[in-house]
Amino acid sequence: MNILYGVPGEGMGHATRSKVVIAHLLAQGHEVSVVSSSRAYQLLAHTFPGRVHEIRGFHLAYKDVVVSKARTAALTLRNAPDSLLTNFRRYRNLPGADQFDCVISDFESFSYLFARWKQLPVISIDNMQIISRARLDVAVPAGERGNFEVARGIVRAKLPRSHHYFVSTFFPLPVVRPATTLVPPIIRPEILAARPTAGAHVLVYQSATTQQGLVPLLQALPGQEFRVYGFNKEESHGNVQLKAFSEQGFIEDLASARAVVTNGGFSLISEAVYLHKPICAVPIPVQFEQFLNAAQVQKLGYGRHFETLTPDNLKAFLYDLSGFEAALGAYKQDGNQELFRQLDEALAGL
C-alpha cells in the first residue's frame, strides 16, 4: 500500500512516536512518504532518507512559560496564506502524488487536507483525540473549563470524519464516538530495550519554556540528587546537575531514576509509566491536554499533580514514592504490538 504520513513539527513527541509507526509500516512492505516541518522534519529526514518532504507547519507562541492564545492566533493568521500556498505546491509535486492509497496523520493538518483533495481515507494516530472521543473521568476545575472547551473544539475540528482514530493513552476511558480504538502509548525501541533500575537520582525535565528559579528550588532539598534536562548545558550546582542534550544519556538517566519530575507532556509521562517510574507532573498552564495527563497520573496513583513546583510539593511527592511504585507495578503493556495489530487490520480493510 502507498501511504502518505503527516507529522507536525511542533513538539518532538510526534516525531519520535511517528518514527516507530513508520518503521513498522516499512517493515510490513508498505511504501511510505512523509511530510513534516521544523525539528520533526530534520529528525525524520535523517532516519528515513529520501522519504521525507518538508512543509510549513503550525507553531505555538509562548509568553512567560504559558502558551499565548493571542500570539499563537496572530502567528497562525500571519503565516497561513503563504503556508497554504507553499504546502499546496509541495503536495502537488510529491513523488507519486496520484498513487497514494491512504493518509495517516499524527494530528497534522496539511496531510489531512491533501487527503480530502484527493478523496483518500484518513487514519488518525495520536493521543490528543482522547479529549473529544472519550468520556473524561476526572473533575475539570472551574479554572480549566475554558481551556477544556477550547481544546475540545480544536481537536474536533482537526481531523473530522477520518476513516478511523487510533488514540494512544496510558489511561483507559469509555469511548463515546464511533470508529475509535484506544491503544497503549507508542514506545520507542530504545525505551523498550531499557532495563529499569532503582537509582538514587531524580530525573527532572523542563521543556523549552524554562522555569525561573528551578535550580535554587531543587537545592532546597540538599538530601536529594537531581539530574536536570532541558537547559542543554553541563553544569554542577551541588545536588543539582544540569545535563546537555543526549538521547542515550537521557534514556539511561530515565531508566535508572528513582522518580521523574516533568510537565504534563504525554511522551515522557508514557515512557515513565512504561518503566514504572513515579511521576511528579506540573503541567504548562493553558494546555488542557497536559492538565488531563497530570490529573490521570494522580488519579491512577502513579504520582502527584501540582499546579506549581515548590520544595514542599516536591517533598510530599518524594515521601510517597513507595505507594506510587506499587500502583505502577500493576501497569502492563506488550510494547507496541496492540497498535501494530489494529493498524494492520485497518489498512487491510481499506
Side-chain angles (χ1 to χ4, degrees):
M1 183 171 286
N2 199 338
I3 300 169
L4 177 65
Y5 205 116
V7 184
E10 182 71 27
M12 290 301 287
H14 295 282
T16 55
R17 294 193 298 267
S18 296
K19 186 170 74 167
V20 173
V21 182
I22 293 166
H24 169 75
L25 293 171
L26 292 172
Q28 294 299 108
H30 298 291
E31 182 63 32
V32 183
S33 297
V34 184
V35 289
S36 190
S37 61
S38 195
R39 292 172 60 208
Y41 162 76
Q42 296 172 10
L43 170 67
L44 294 169
H46 176 75
T47 307
F48 306 107
R51 295 186 178 276
V52 186
H53 309 274
E54 187 172 16
I55 58 172
R56 292 196 180 181
F58 164 80
H59 300 284
L60 298 174
Y62 290 89
K63 181 180 180 181
D64 300 330
V65 187
V66 179
V67 174
S68 170
K69 297 177 184 176
R71 288 187 178 187
T72 297
L75 182 66
T76 302
L77 290 172
R78 183 169 67 247
N79 294 337
D82 191 35
S83 295
L84 283 170
L85 182 60
T86 299
N87 289 343
F88 180 78
R89 288 171 177 164
R90 295 272 169 81
Y91 282 134
R92 188 174 56 191
N93 295 323
L94 279 174
D98 294 324
Q99 299 174 6
F100 291 117
D101 299 302
C102 74
V103 167
I104 298 177
S105 174
D106 182 345
F107 215 62
E108 199 283 314
S109 296
F110 292 113
S111 56
Y112 172 84
L113 294 175
F114 176 86
R116 286 289 172 254
W117 175 39
K118 293 291 188 178
Q119 298 182 322
L120 298 173
V122 177
I123 292 177
S124 168
I125 304 177
D126 66 64
N127 62 293
M128 295 292 292
Q129 293 289 343
I130 195 133
I131 294 174
S132 71
R133 309 193 74 82
R135 182 181 299 111
L136 304 188
D137 64 354
V138 294
V140 179
E144 287 290 339
R145 288 173 191 162
N147 298 330
F148 170 49
E149 294 301 331
V150 169
R152 185 166 59 177
I154 291 172
V155 171
R156 284 179 174 174
K158 191 72 172 179
L159 304 173
R161 300 180 303 280
S162 291
H163 177 76
H164 202 89
Y165 298 83
F166 292 105
V167 185
S168 56
T169 178
F170 63 90
F171 48 95
L173 295 177
V175 171
V176 296
R177 305 189 74 181
T180 303
T181 303
L182 302 189
V183 295
I186 300 169
I187 305 297
R188 50 186 166 151
E190 296 84 356
I191 297 296
L192 295 177
R195 294 294 175 261
T197 58
H201 66 276
V202 175
L203 177 76
V204 181
Y205 174 75
Q206 280 295 122
S207 65
T209 56
T210 52
Q211 176 177 323
Q212 297 297 320
L214 178 63
V215 171
L217 185 155
L218 299 176
Q219 288 176 322
L221 281 73
Q224 304 290 338
E225 177 190 350
F226 298 98
R227 298 182 187 177
V228 182
Y229 285 83
F231 293 89
N232 199 24
K233 54 186 175 183
E234 291 280 346
E235 291 181 4
S236 181
H237 300 269
N239 65 317
V240 181
Q241 185 178 3
L242 303 186
K243 307 272 286 188
F245 173 76
S246 163
E247 183 176 21
Q248 186 57 38
F250 180 85
I251 292 171
E252 291 175 357
D253 282 341
L254 173 60
S256 59
R258 61 193 295 252
V260 174
V261 178
T262 184
N263 51 42
F266 181 77
S267 293
L268 179 51
I269 288 180
S270 296
E271 292 179 348
V273 169
Y274 180 80
L275 294 173
H276 295 178
K277 303 295 180 179
I279 303 151
C280 178
V282 185
I284 295 174
V286 193
Q287 291 200 34
F288 180 79
E289 183 253 343
Q290 290 212 359
F291 165 84
L292 178 60
N293 294 333
Q296 287 288 346
V297 163
Q298 180 152 310
K299 181 179 185 298
L300 293 168
Y302 296 165
R304 294 294 301 273
H305 166 207
F306 297 114
E307 291 185 5
T308 57
L309 190 63
T310 67
D312 285 343
N313 287 344
L314 200 46
K315 287 177 185 176
F317 163 67
L318 294 172
Y319 182 79
D320 290 332
L321 289 189
S322 59
F324 305 144
E325 290 166 351
L328 285 160
Y331 181 85
K332 297 290 187 293
Q333 177 179 340
D334 183 17
N336 301 306
Q337 295 309 306
E338 178 65 16
L339 169 63
F340 291 164
R341 182 181 66 80
Q342 297 271 5
L343 177 59
D344 291 345
E345 289 181 4
L347 291 173
L350 290 179

